[in-house]
Amino acid sequence: MPDRGGGPAGPRIRVGRPSRRVRTLLMTLGVLAVLGMAFTMFAGFWTDWLWYRSVRYSSVFTTTLWTKIGLFFVFGLLMAVAVGVNIWLAHRVRPPLSAMSMEQQSLDRYRMGIAPYKRWLLLGITALVGLIAGASAAGQWQTWLMWVNGVPFQQKDPQFHLDVSFYAFDLPWYRFLLGFGFAAAILSLIAAALTHYLYGGLRVTSPGARATAAATGHLSVLLGIFVALKAVAYWLDRYGLAVKSSDFKATGNWTGLRYVDANAYLPAKTILFCIAVICALLFFATLWRRTWQLPVIGFGLMVLSAILIGGLYPAIVQKFQVQPNEQAKEAPYVQKNLKATREAYGIDDTKVTEYSGTSTTKDQTKLRADVDSAASIRILDPNVVSPTFQQLQQIRNYYAFPNNLDVDRYSKNGKEQDTVIGLRELNLNGIPKNNWINDHFRYTHGYGVVAAKGTEVQDGQPVFTESDLPSTGDLGQYQQQIYYGEKTTTYSIVGGPQKEIDYSDDSGEKTTSYQGDSGVNLANPINRAAYAVAFNEPQILYSGAIGKGSRILYNRTPKERVEAVAPWLTIDGDAYPAVVDGRIQWIVDAYTTTNGYPYASRTTLGDTTADSLTATNNNRTVVAQQNQVNYIRNSVKATVDAYTGEVKLYQWDTQDPVLKTWMKAFPGTVEPKKDITPELQAHFRYPQDLFKVQRELLTRYHVTDAQTFLTGSEVWQVPDDPTNKSGNAVPPYYLSMKMPGQSSQAFSLTTTFTPNGRDNLSAFMAVDADAGTSDYGKIRILKLPTSTTVDGPKQVQSKFNSEQEIAAAIRLLKGGDSDIEYGNLLTVPLDGGLLYVEPVYVRGGGLKYPLLRKVLVTYGGNTAFENTLDEALNKVFGAQSSTSPPPDTGTANPPTSTNPSVQQALNDAQKAFDAGQQALKNNDWTAYGTAQKDLQDALKRAEDAQAKADKAGAGKSGAGKGGSSPGPSGSPSPSSG
């Protein structure tokens, strides 16, 4: 039968419905897809909950979550209701459509098109604006919690005499509410206007009235609400002047009122507030008058007033009153800014003392003796010697030290010693074979502390007080496994059937199984599935290496853990380890901040905490990037246990109202200061990032007189690091030293200042950094006279490099393929003058790590470049200290071995070592380089011969701990692994 289209006859193809089996399959696939997407979203939420519960900070998770949910629904619902009600009202008061104009005929097609879907369209629009508004409100959870829990500062601003808490906690919330109100009014106005236009309440081209009475009244009320909100904004702007940032030619960045603000903007805002209130009432009056005439006049008056009163009048005041006599007009307001800024950054008690910069003592012997009491000069630079620790103490390739080590204090025989310390952390890049089992089950942790005296070296190497594997030394017995550290950035699964590698020695691998209660238990299949999705690793779901007792550890860096449990804190860029009561604890400094302190100038944390170390080393970071603040306190000291990962937050600043506010919001999360043990407090130190923020502020705010501040004659700057070519600021240095007026040395954090745009020294700053002393946090500044010139760090470095004898010696040190690295340039006040000390490290030919070979010292115009600090000091002062040790003769008893091949290699190594020592005495650096190469070759031969003998079972005489070969006394033994 031919088809109806007239085409040729053919078989008819019938397209029937899919079979029941196909429909069932499609429906099943659809359900599975929906369930898969739902579980993916659930996995993120569930794993977060499990993690917070595992660290016992579930209250942080629930408080944050419920606050966000509450804000989302409340403000989302308010916005949806506001927009929805106005659309409904505009539709309800629509005019009857009788005589149709061309405009209305065109719109009629749209009305008919949406008529069947009006209800769904209304729900869709309101849901969309509600979701957007709710998401925006949820992001203000911190603002809400601070407003609800705000604690008074008990300090009032000098302009409005309101407590500082109004600006820090209340004003941000009021501004959010105002912004939300503006958004609701504008969206409602737009939605209502469109609805009125669609249904004829507003007309553009039709003859007759442009708006119906109902539309006029409705839109007038919405406009009145908008103008009323503008009136509120003008009133809040009055208080906002106290925390307003602006550019001030005399001082740069400025916060608070100036003369023009107090005498022009402030009265202008008050006048505009009154005008806006009247204008809003005129809009509301259209409900009765049904005319736009008066509201439009009022609105025009408000706009004109904003231009004339709010813009032109302040410009006239600035031009004709302030500029001709700026210092006199601005001085009272600058004085308020000075006081507030110094209080907000904790620098108001800074003690500035005049310091001559030159010594008056002629007795050089006395000066030489005074050096020993003035400072324990740390010649081991923690920012240089990490490769040395790595080479001498890494032991195995799957361990590593951070690029920057840390400085701490440890006592021995009742005497404190500045100590350079680092942890032997896990390095996955160094394991023999990377695969999923090795990376996450076998190699899970680092092992042991390595520490060295900060003030001593031996043959250029650190004098270790804790070393080897397992680590032994002055620190006694402690839990050595390191499951949480700065370099531990991947997850590990521990405690299950798969054994973990603890460490290796001559007898082979030592294994362990994690015994802590940290991490999340994977015995539950739902947990395994959630982590398989969250980490995008299906093997977690079905791997046989996971069994009873298996736990997953993640978020393992100290900074990550503290940030997670206290998201309201700003975390210092450098956590440091300490051995306390038999455990390795990471100590993390944390800050409370606000940008709402009236009159206090703002600073950008990312800029002020950056220096030459943050620019060149990725494990030391800046704080909070571009976060601007004008109040900061080191209010919390946090600890993270390196084995269990346990996080503890301790209240450190008991007076800080910001911390008290957060403690009300998150009760039970911060432990009281009295719970800090003396053993733990002994390792607390003044944080570097806070010190860097304070020193940056003190470049201008060290003065207390407004006139001096305005002239800018006393502006300082933090000098660039002369030992680093990055062009960034010199980092502060920890040093045990005695400032003028102190009776004994104190562990301190120090820095220098130079005049703005010049390189000579302006001042020296130190803060007592030992938390165990009553003077902790006391800032002292030694201000040098402006009438004389004292060399600054850059000038000192330049003189070091330009002196003929020193330059020649450095060229010799650089001979062959050797390289020079300058250590920290330390500054020590001494008898009215300033002593500069800088260690000089050499990476000799064939050596992969720096050794301290020279020390630069200068004082009072005298400079020395000697092999040891004592020799350099003796030369500078022309006298020898009574405490100086006898000179090292460089002789040592050669090691022995029963293996002839090993013994021959050791004899050759001892000869090379002796030749190197003799070359050092003769300042023959070419011969020294050759001797070092011969030494390394001989040690390598000894190691190979010993390994061959061990393999043959010929005994292990002469083999060192950790599998290292013996070497001549005072020389490094190459580590295996």
Side-chain angles (χ1 to χ4, degrees):
M1 180 180 179
D3 66 290
R4 296 185 181 182
R12 182 181 296 272
I13 299 175
R14 298 175 60 89
V15 180
R17 296 178 61 193
S19 66
R20 179 177 297 179
R21 180 179 298 177
V22 173
R23 291 199 306 271
T24 303
L25 178 61
L26 291 175
M27 186 176 294
T28 303
L29 291 175
V31 170
L32 290 175
V34 171
L35 289 176
M37 289 187 290
F39 189 79
T40 300
M41 292 185 290
F42 166 78
F45 165 82
W46 184 243
T47 53
D48 284 346
W49 162 248
L50 291 174
W51 186 86
Y52 275 97
R53 192 175 63 176
S54 74
V55 293
R56 299 177 182 86
Y57 281 88
S58 56
S59 63
V60 174
F61 180 82
T62 54
T63 300
T64 304
L65 178 65
W66 286 118
T67 302
K68 289 179 178 180
I69 290 174
L71 291 172
F72 177 86
F73 280 105
V74 169
F75 285 93
L77 186 62
L78 285 174
M79 182 65 76
V81 168
V83 174
V85 165
N86 281 282
I87 293 175
W88 172 83
L89 184 60
H91 179 265
R92 183 178 178 83
V93 299
R94 67 191 183 281
L97 298 174
S98 52
M100 300 289 289
S101 65
M102 293 297 296
E103 180 183 18
Q104 293 303 314
Q105 289 177 15
S106 299
L107 291 173
D108 192 49
R109 288 177 296 176
Y110 295 102
R111 288 192 288 264
M112 293 178 64
I114 66 172
Y117 311 106
K118 283 191 296 186
R119 181 175 298 178
W120 292 108
L121 188 61
L122 177 62
L123 289 175
I125 292 173
T126 55
L128 178 62
V129 296
L131 286 172
I132 295 172
S136 175
Q140 297 295 320
W141 65 273
Q142 291 192 0
T143 307
W144 161 261
L145 287 175
M146 293 182 79
W147 179 65
V148 170
N149 300 284
V151 172
F153 276 68
Q154 304 300 337
Q155 290 177 285
K156 297 183 183 296
D157 77 281
Q159 182 66 42
F160 302 102
H161 307 293
L162 297 173
D163 192 271
V164 172
S165 61
F166 171 79
Y167 302 93
F169 306 142
D170 299 343
L171 191 57
W173 179 248
Y174 297 153
R175 282 176 164 167
F176 164 72
L177 291 179
L178 187 63
F180 178 83
F182 274 124
I186 292 171
L187 289 175
S188 296
L189 183 63
I190 293 172
L194 289 174
T195 306
H196 280 300
Y197 176 70
L198 181 63
Y199 287 96
L202 291 178
R203 303 181 181 93
V204 177
T205 61
S206 300
R210 300 298 184 189
T212 63
T216 300
H218 184 193
L219 297 180
S220 295
V221 170
L222 290 176
L223 286 170
I225 293 173
F226 177 84
V227 176
L229 290 171
K230 188 61 181 174
V232 176
Y234 281 133
W235 189 256
L236 286 181
D237 284 347
R238 298 170 68 256
Y239 302 110
L241 293 171
V243 290
K244 183 193 73 172
S245 288
S246 60
D247 289 328
F248 188 15
K249 182 176 65 174
T251 62
N253 180 37
W254 174 270
T255 301
L257 286 84
R258 290 154 51 193
Y259 181 88
V260 70
D261 297 311
N263 295 277
Y265 281 112
L266 187 57
K269 297 291 184 183
T270 305
I271 294 170
L272 289 172
F273 164 75
C274 296
I275 293 173
V277 170
I278 295 171
C279 185
L281 292 174
L282 291 176
F283 274 105
F284 293 138
T286 58
L287 284 171
W288 298 276
R289 292 180 55 86
R290 304 296 185 183
T291 176
W292 290 89
Q293 187 175 5
L294 285 178
V296 169
I297 293 173
F299 189 77
L301 177 62
M302 188 179 75
V303 173
L304 182 63
S305 301
I307 296 172
L308 296 178
I309 302 174
L312 184 60
Y313 174 61
I316 293 173
V317 171
Q318 179 68 25
K319 180 70 175 178
F320 295 102
Q321 290 190 36
V322 178
Q323 288 186 7
N325 191 18
E326 187 174 52
Q327 288 202 10
K329 295 290 187 183
E330 300 288 13
Y333 304 95
V334 170
Q335 198 67 49
K336 296 174 184 177
N337 176 269
L338 281 169
K339 182 176 183 295
T341 302
R342 289 168 62 87
E343 289 173 350
Y345 290 94
I347 56 177
D348 49 325
D349 291 330
T350 298
K351 182 179 180 182
V352 180
T353 306
E354 299 293 331
Y355 194 71
S356 65
T358 55
S359 173
T360 57
T361 300
K362 303 299 182 183
D363 187 349
Q364 297 296 299
T365 303
K366 181 179 183 304
L367 282 176
R368 175 64 186 89
D370 288 345
V371 173
D372 297 323
S373 61
S376 298
I377 299 174
R378 179 178 46 73
I379 56 175
L380 199 65
D381 186 349
N383 306 310
V384 173
V385 299
S386 178
T388 307
F389 273 52
Q390 190 85 357
Q391 185 69 17
L392 301 180
Q393 288 296 320
Q394 178 189 20
I395 311 298
R396 298 296 179 198
N397 286 339
Y398 47 82
Y399 297 130
F401 293 93
N403 295 333
N404 302 105
L405 304 177
D406 289 290
V407 178
D408 202 348
R409 297 93 62 217
Y410 286 89
S411 297
K412 185 176 182 181
N413 300 326
K415 183 179 179 181
E416 277 201 348
Q417 166 72 50
D418 286 2
T419 302
V420 176
I421 185 172
L423 301 189
R424 196 183 283 113
E425 293 191 49
L426 178 66
N427 173 30
L428 287 179
N429 293 327
I431 68 175
K433 183 180 180 181
N434 285 99
N435 55 54
W436 190 64
I437 293 295
N438 275 350
D439 290 353
H440 301 289
F441 290 82
R442 295 280 287 162
Y443 295 90
T444 60
H445 59 278
Y447 204 93
V449 174
V450 177
K453 294 182 179 179
T455 55
E456 295 180 30
V457 296
Q458 183 176 5
D459 297 322
Q461 301 174 28
V463 177
F464 292 108
T465 58
E466 185 79 15
S467 59
D468 298 331
L469 187 66
S471 294
T472 57
D474 295 345
L475 300 182
Q477 298 294 318
Y478 59 94
Q479 176 66 259
Q480 298 205 19
Q481 287 98 337
I482 302 161
Y483 283 86
Y484 295 87
E486 289 180 305
K487 300 178 73 69
T488 314
T489 57
T490 188
Y491 71 89
S492 289
I493 299 175
V494 299
Q498 187 69 250
K499 290 294 184 181
E500 310 157 43
I501 294 178
D502 222 0
Y503 62 91
S504 301
D505 60 15
D506 294 338
S507 60
E509 290 181 349
K510 306 294 184 183
T511 60
T512 187
S513 185
Y514 184 66
Q515 300 299 314
D517 60 355
S518 182
V520 178
N521 196 323
L522 292 180
N524 187 328
I526 295 178
N527 292 357
R528 292 178 66 169
Y531 280 102
V533 172
F535 290 169
N536 195 26
E537 182 49 71
Q539 293 186 80
I540 294 177
L541 183 60
Y542 56 77
S543 174
I546 301 175
K548 184 179 180 181
S550 292
R551 312 179 72 84
I552 184 167
L553 313 180
Y554 61 106
N555 287 352
R556 297 171 71 184
T557 67
K559 190 171 185 289
E560 277 181 315
R561 296 181 78 77
V562 177
E563 280 179 332
V565 303
W568 35 272
L569 290 174
T570 300
I571 309 302
D572 191 271
D574 181 37
Y576 61 97
V579 177
V580 181
D581 295 328
R583 306 194 72 84
I584 301 172
Q585 298 282 354
W586 287 99
I587 299 175
V588 183
D589 287 288
Y591 310 106
T592 47
T593 63
T594 179
N595 66 353
Y597 198 99
Y599 270 104
S601 291
R602 289 183 172 88
T603 187
T604 303
L605 292 181
D607 295 337
T608 53
T609 59
D611 58 26
S612 61
L613 295 182
T614 62
T616 57
N617 294 289
N618 56 15
N619 68 293
R620 183 162 294 187
T621 58
V622 297
V623 174
Q625 297 301 326
Q626 297 306 307
N627 188 21
Q628 277 205 333
V629 304
N630 66 353
Y631 172 93
I632 186 170
R633 289 290 185 273
N634 177 212
S635 52
V636 171
K637 299 282 189 180
T639 62
V640 178
D641 191 289
Y643 184 78
T644 66
E646 181 184 21
V647 181
K648 287 188 177 181
L649 307 176
Y650 294 101
Q651 183 183 19
W652 183 244
D653 188 336
T654 58
Q655 303 302 316
D656 178 30
V658 182
L659 177 60
K660 291 179 180 178
T661 296
W662 287 119
M663 290 174 68
K664 280 182 64 179
F666 295 97
T669 56
V670 181
E671 300 185 26
K673 187 174 183 177
K674 62 182 179 61
D675 288 353
I676 302 173
T677 65
E679 292 78 14
L680 177 60
Q681 184 168 315
H683 293 281
F684 286 170
R685 67 187 191 189
Y686 202 80
Q688 293 184 66
D689 285 333
L690 176 60
F691 184 78
K692 285 187 279 189
V693 170
Q694 291 174 326
R695 75 172 179 179
E696 182 64 32
L697 267 296
L698 283 168
T699 58
R700 290 180 295 134
Y701 286 91
H702 62 278
V703 301
T704 56
D705 176 65
Q707 295 293 340
T708 306
F709 188 85
L710 282 166
T711 62
S713 60
E714 291 290 330
V715 175
W716 300 337
Q717 66 182 13
V718 179
D720 291 341
D721 189 351
T723 68
N724 190 300
K725 300 185 184 300
S726 67
N728 293 90
V730 61
Y733 296 125
Y734 287 105
L735 180 68
S736 289
M737 55 166 288
K738 181 170 67 175
M739 288 284 279
Q742 287 184 295
S743 59
S744 60
Q745 291 182 19
F747 188 65
S748 305
L749 192 54
T750 66
T751 193
T752 52
F753 295 109
T754 59
N756 194 26
R758 303 196 343 247
D759 293 325
N760 56 289
L761 199 66
S762 284
F764 175 79
M765 171 180 168
V767 63
D768 282 20
D770 189 345
T773 64
S774 60
D775 282 343
Y776 172 80
K778 186 176 182 60
I779 299 174
R780 296 178 173 88
I781 293 180
L782 304 180
K783 183 177 178 295
L784 281 78
T786 56
S787 57
T788 59
T789 301
V790 178
D791 287 343
K794 189 174 181 179
Q795 293 172 322
V796 169
Q797 188 69 48
S798 179
K799 287 184 177 181
F800 279 158
N801 296 338
S802 61
E803 274 204 27
Q804 188 172 354
E805 290 185 10
I806 295 176
I810 289 176
R811 282 196 297 271
L812 284 172
L813 286 171
K814 289 183 177 180
D817 57 354
S818 297
D819 198 12
I820 294 291
E821 291 186 40
Y822 293 104
N824 37 217
L825 180 58
L826 302 175
T827 309
V828 178
L830 178 66
D831 191 53
L834 290 161
L835 175 71
Y836 284 99
V837 178
E838 182 178 66
V840 179
Y841 295 83
V842 178
R843 287 182 187 256
L847 290 178
K848 298 179 181 179
Y849 56 94
L851 297 176
L852 193 150
R853 289 306 184 194
K854 290 287 183 177
V855 180
L856 287 161
V857 174
T858 184
Y859 182 82
N862 298 325
T863 302
F865 184 62
E866 300 299 325
N867 295 336
T868 67
L869 175 61
D870 278 326
E871 290 175 8
L873 290 171
N874 293 342
K875 183 174 180 180
V876 164
F877 293 104
Q880 183 168 328
S881 168
S882 59
T883 61
S884 298
D888 184 7
T889 61
T891 61
N893 295 324
T896 60
S897 172
T898 57
N899 185 296
S901 299
V902 175
Q903 186 60 52
Q904 181 59 49
L906 289 175
N907 292 339
D908 294 342
Q910 189 65 44
K911 290 177 183 178
F913 175 74
D914 294 338
Q917 293 299 305
Q918 186 62 43
L920 281 176
K921 292 180 181 179
N922 298 335
N923 284 331
D924 187 346
W925 302 106
T926 303
Y928 175 75
T930 302
Q932 289 300 303
K933 186 176 184 303
D934 293 342
L935 175 60
Q936 294 300 312
D937 291 343
L939 290 173
K940 185 66 169 63
R941 284 191 283 113
E943 183 179 21
D944 292 343
Q946 185 65 55
K948 186 176 180 180
D950 290 344
K951 189 174 181 180
K956 298 180 181 178
S957 60
K961 179 175 277 192
S964 61
S965 299
S969 177
S971 67
S973 299
S975 58
S976 64

